[in-house]
């Protein structure tokens, strides 16, 4: 196929054999968030470029080099969203739903776009599930966000493979004092820093802490620590969060170098990391952003949230072999009919059965075919039973129910009794 007719590098099709696990993971998250009282919000995939520059920060990897930005036919600069928080904040502001201190506990799901080097666990179109909470400023809600992800890891069978890293960035004043101390220290060892870090030292010095360069990391060992500059309010907040995590029995490690890639965080930041996915080890990341709404033109409104990468979650579930067996089977019964008259009866019968058993996964043979070929298709479908309707069965108003996975002998069941019979022998997932 010519290159221009292929998918764009780093933007993947999710093929039919993969969608069951996607729906499984997405379904688990959606139900969990429902149960904790979060409401879904859906934002457009494209926004004005300015929105991301203003919220994420000009001097970040995302805005400097990862955005898909283009001019539309009106000459406006638009960008495919690289993350969800900016658009979510814009939406709540635009619709006034956080005004007057209204609490909002929101979540969203969908594709995000970043022009990065594609590799395992890193793509140009990837998918996130994000949660954002507005107008709750205590550590109790920070803890709830972490507790609910912990529950999710349990439900997905990946709890033992992820580790919680925590830090507090303090208020913006505390961070400014720390920044000054860090700049002073790093400037004294400027020649030992990698080129990227030298540049960041001028534009966004805290990001130097994020470096993956080993030499710079060595310099950072003796650097001033953010925790020593924390303001009293942030310290109390952080202690409150830790106490709650202790009470909930959730293990964590404090990572003083955790600053997160985005500009807008304050106080709590956290990441769930795994060592099972190579370099792409962060499956979920978030934090508090109390200043963001105001920075974007709203009234002071506190916020806290996180986003998880669905691809990385799925990779982890697969790596740990935690995909439930029942996902492999998508069909319960396969109905074979032989001849025009039997086909008509089969259609009517299958619709009656569906009325009575709305959760039954019944596939009716399409495209006619010999006994042998229909049987082969029934077997290949993965169904537990083949239903057989030929001239004899038609005359007697019965169907043959043939077990396909070695569960006993074929039985003959009257049409009227079919739904009840299937209800007893098909365990519905
Ligand atoms: P990383 O350090 O891996 O680049 P990030 O800090 O840029 O991650 P966030 O912006 O915090 O990531 O996004 C939240 C989550 O979304 C990440 O923890 C990760 O699971 C997922 N994610 C981010 N970028 C990608 C990508 N390019 N492909 C797949 N998943 C991604
Ligand atoms: Mg990144």
């Amino acid at each position: 196929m010519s290159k221009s007719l292929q998918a764009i590098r780093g933007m993947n099709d999710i093929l039919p054999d993969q969608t069951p696990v996607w729906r499984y993971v997405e379904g688990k998250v959606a139900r969990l968030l429902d149960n904790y009282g979060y409401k879904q919000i859906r934002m457009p995939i494209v926004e004005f470029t300015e929105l991301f520059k203003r919220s994420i920060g000009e001097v970040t990897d995302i805005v400097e080099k990862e955005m898909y930005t283009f001019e539309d036919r009106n000459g406006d600069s638009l960008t495919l969203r690289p993350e969800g928080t900016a658009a979510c904040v814009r939406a709540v502001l635009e619709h006034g739903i956080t005004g007057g201190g209204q609490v909002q506990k929101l979540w969203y799901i969908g594709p995000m776009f970043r022009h990065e080097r594609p590799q395992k666990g890193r793509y140009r179109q990837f998918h996130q599930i994000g949660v954002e909470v507005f107008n709750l400023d205590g550590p109790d809600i920070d803890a709830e966000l972490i507790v609910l992800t912990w529950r999710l890891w349990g439900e997905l069978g990946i709890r033992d493979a992820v580790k919680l890293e925590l830090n507090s960035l303090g208020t913006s004043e505390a961070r400014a004092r720390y920044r000054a101390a860090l700049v002073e220290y790093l400037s004294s060892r400027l020649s030992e820093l990698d080129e990227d870090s030298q540049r960041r030292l001028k534009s966004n010095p805290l990001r130097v802490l994020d470096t993956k360069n080993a030499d710079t990391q060595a310099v950072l060992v003796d650097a001033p620590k953010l925790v020593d500059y924390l303001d009293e309010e942030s310290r109390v907040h952080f202690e409150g969060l830790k106490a709650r995590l202790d009470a909930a029995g959730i293990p964590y490690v404090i990572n003083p170098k955790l600053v997160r890639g985005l500009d807008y965080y304050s106080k709590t930041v956290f990441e769930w990391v795994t060592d099972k996915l190579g370099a792409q080890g962060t499956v979920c990341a978030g934090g508090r952003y109390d200043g963001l709404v105001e920075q974007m033109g709203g009234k002071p409104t506190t916020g806290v949230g996180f986003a998880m990468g669905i691809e990385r979650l799925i990779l982890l579930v697969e790596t740990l072999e935690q995909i439930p067996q029942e996902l492999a089977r998508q069909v319960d019964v396969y109905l074979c009919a032989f001849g025009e008259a039997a086909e008509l009866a089969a259609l009517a019968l299958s619709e009656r059965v569906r009325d009575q058993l709305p959760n039954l996964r019944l596939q009716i043979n399409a495209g006619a075919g010999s006994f042998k070929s229909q049987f082969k298709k029934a077997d290949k479908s993965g169904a537990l039973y083949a239903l057989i309707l030929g001239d004899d069965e038609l005359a007697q108003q019965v169907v043959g129910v043939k077990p396909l996975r070695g569960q006993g002998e074929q039985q003959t069941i009257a049409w009227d009794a079919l739904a009840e019979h299937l209800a007893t022998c098909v365990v519905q997932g």
Side-chain angles (χ1 to χ4, degrees), residues 61-62 66 114 116 122 126 207 212 260-262 312:
D61 282 351
I62 291 181
E66 295 176 358
R114 297 184 194 176
E116 304 195 66
R122 189 176 298 284
F126 63 100
R207 292 295 315 287
K212 305 219 157 62
R260 308 281 311 116
L262 316 181
R312 291 186 196 177

Side-chain angles (χ1 to χ4, degrees), residues 400-424:
V401 178
K402 185 176 165 50
L404 294 172
R405 317 280 150 207
Q407 36 332 15
E409 295 296 302
Q410 179 168 333
Q411 287 180 277
T412 302
I413 306 290
W415 290 353
D416 286 342
L418 182 60
E420 203 178 326
H421 178 77
L422 292 175
T424 60

Side-chain angles (χ1 to χ4, degrees), residues 197-399:
S197 296
Q198 292 192 2
R199 196 171 50 83
R200 283 188 175 144
L201 182 57
K202 296 203 188 68
S203 54
N204 191 350
L206 288 190
R207 292 295 315 287
V208 177
L209 300 178
D210 230 5
T211 183
K212 305 219 157 62
N213 182 286
D215 297 333
T216 305
Q217 279 175 348
V219 174
L220 286 171
V221 171
D222 298 321
K225 300 281 176 288
L226 185 53
V227 47
D228 299 327
Y229 289 78
L230 269 197
D231 53 290
E232 182 63 8
E233 183 193 330
S234 300
R235 205 187 50 70
V236 170
H237 187 101
F238 200 38
E239 291 306 318
L241 171 59
K242 288 191 281 184
R244 282 167 177 81
L245 296 179
D246 292 337
I250 299 177
Y252 54 84
V253 292
I254 308 292
N255 176 357
K257 289 197 204 136
L258 185 65
V259 291
R260 308 281 311 116
L262 316 181
D263 263 0
Y264 51 57
Y265 289 107
S266 57
K267 291 188 180 157
T268 311
V269 288
F270 65 92
E271 286 193 358
W272 287 99
V273 296
T274 180
D275 56 12
K276 302 276 188 289
L277 298 179
Q280 276 56 252
T282 307
V283 294
C284 174
R288 186 162 272 286
Y289 48 85
D290 289 345
L292 179 62
V293 174
E294 207 179 350
Q295 180 187 316
M296 287 173 58
K299 297 248 161 58
T301 303
T302 61
V304 57
F306 66 76
M308 53 182 114
I310 305 181
E311 283 83 355
R312 291 186 196 177
L313 266 187
I314 288 175
L315 276 171
L316 192 54
V317 171
E318 286 174 343
T319 305
L320 299 174
E321 298 181 358
Q322 293 298 316
I323 298 176
Q325 287 255 299
E326 40 313 348
L327 284 192
R329 190 168 58 77
Q330 299 292 313
V331 178
D332 297 320
V333 294
Y334 191 100
L335 175 48
C336 308
F338 306 97
E340 171 89 10
E343 276 184 19
L344 298 183
L347 178 58
L349 176 63
S350 67
E351 288 305 307
R352 257 172 66 194
V353 170
R354 289 186 211 278
D355 285 343
Q356 291 169 275
L357 300 176
N359 292 326
L360 183 73
R361 297 174 301 179
L362 187 162
Q363 190 164 324
I364 186 165
N365 184 73
S370 68
F371 191 81
K372 200 174 147 201
S373 81
Q374 290 200 34
F375 231 72
K376 223 166 143 182
K377 287 196 271 177
D379 191 45
K380 208 173 153 213
S381 77
L384 293 174
Y385 295 90
L387 305 180
I388 298 158
L389 215 170
D391 289 340
D392 291 350
E393 287 83 6
L394 183 61
Q396 294 170 48
Q397 308 220 331
V398 296
V399 285

Side-chain angles (χ1 to χ4, degrees), residues 12-311:
N12 301 312
D13 298 304
I14 300 164
L15 294 175
D17 63 342
Q18 271 288 304
T19 48
V21 62
W22 278 75
R23 292 177 61 185
Y24 162 73
V25 170
E26 290 166 356
K28 281 254 186 240
V29 184
R31 198 168 37 78
L32 186 104
L33 289 166
D34 283 347
N35 292 352
Y36 275 84
Y38 289 73
K39 294 193 180 134
Q40 195 185 19
I41 180 169
R42 303 186 184 201
M43 298 85 65
I45 286 172
V46 188
E47 301 274 354
F48 287 118
T49 304
E50 188 56 27
L51 175 71
F52 301 113
K53 287 192 175 165
R54 275 271 287 279
S55 59
I56 298 171
E58 300 257 9
V59 197
T60 54
D61 282 351
I62 291 181
V63 172
E64 278 182 342
K65 48 191 187 203
E66 295 176 358
M67 296 208 300
Y68 280 90
T69 296
F70 60 96
E71 207 174 84
D72 81 352
R73 288 173 194 277
N74 305 331
D76 293 324
S77 179
L78 307 184
T79 293
L80 296 180
R81 64 180 183 196
E83 54 101 57
T85 304
C88 188
V89 168
R90 181 207 42 76
V92 298
L93 275 181
E94 193 164 332
H95 299 283
I97 60 173
T98 51
Q102 288 176 83
V103 170
Q104 294 290 346
K105 295 169 51 169
L106 306 174
W107 71 278
Y108 50 80
I109 179 170
M112 307 292 161
F113 303 84
R114 297 184 194 176
H115 196 278
E116 304 195 66
R117 192 170 68 77
Q119 51 198 295
K120 182 181 168 193
R122 189 176 298 284
Y123 313 98
R124 290 179 175 175
Q125 175 175 329
F126 63 100
H127 299 79
Q128 282 183 343
I129 293 170
V131 172
E132 316 289 350
V133 177
F134 298 98
N135 284 318
L136 287 173
D137 60 5
D140 50 352
I141 192 70
D142 302 21
E144 177 172 285
L145 294 182
I146 291 171
V147 167
L148 73 84
T149 49
W150 175 247
R151 176 166 298 280
L152 179 65
W153 313 147
E155 287 191 13
L156 293 174
I158 60 175
R159 218 180 236 183
D160 293 341
V162 290
K163 199 175 73 177
L164 175 61
E165 298 195 349
L166 271 188
N167 195 17
S168 176
L169 300 182
T171 57
S172 57
E173 298 78 40
R175 240 183 4 269
R177 279 190 288 120
Y178 173 66
R179 191 183 298 120
L182 185 67
V183 169
E184 190 185 323
Y185 169 80
L186 291 176
S187 303
S188 74
R189 301 185 60 176
L190 190 65
S191 59
E192 295 165 72
L193 304 181
D194 63 280
E195 207 176 300
D196 234 19
S197 296
Q198 292 192 2
R199 196 171 50 83
R200 283 188 175 144
L201 182 57
K202 296 203 188 68
S203 54
N204 191 350
L206 288 190
R207 292 295 315 287
V208 177
L209 300 178
D210 230 5
T211 183
K212 305 219 157 62
N213 182 286
D215 297 333
T216 305
Q217 279 175 348
V219 174
L220 286 171
V221 171
D222 298 321
K225 300 281 176 288
L226 185 53
V227 47
D228 299 327
Y229 289 78
L230 269 197
D231 53 290
E232 182 63 8
E233 183 193 330
S234 300
R235 205 187 50 70
V236 170
H237 187 101
F238 200 38
E239 291 306 318
L241 171 59
K242 288 191 281 184
R244 282 167 177 81
L245 296 179
D246 292 337
I250 299 177
Y252 54 84
V253 292
I254 308 292
N255 176 357
K257 289 197 204 136
L258 185 65
V259 291
R260 308 281 311 116
L262 316 181
D263 263 0
Y264 51 57
Y265 289 107
S266 57
K267 291 188 180 157
T268 311
V269 288
F270 65 92
E271 286 193 358
W272 287 99
V273 296
T274 180
D275 56 12
K276 302 276 188 289
L277 298 179
Q280 276 56 252
T282 307
V283 294
C284 174
R288 186 162 272 286
Y289 48 85
D290 289 345
L292 179 62
V293 174
E294 207 179 350
Q295 180 187 316
M296 287 173 58
K299 297 248 161 58
T301 303
T302 61
V304 57
F306 66 76
M308 53 182 114
I310 305 181
E311 283 83 355

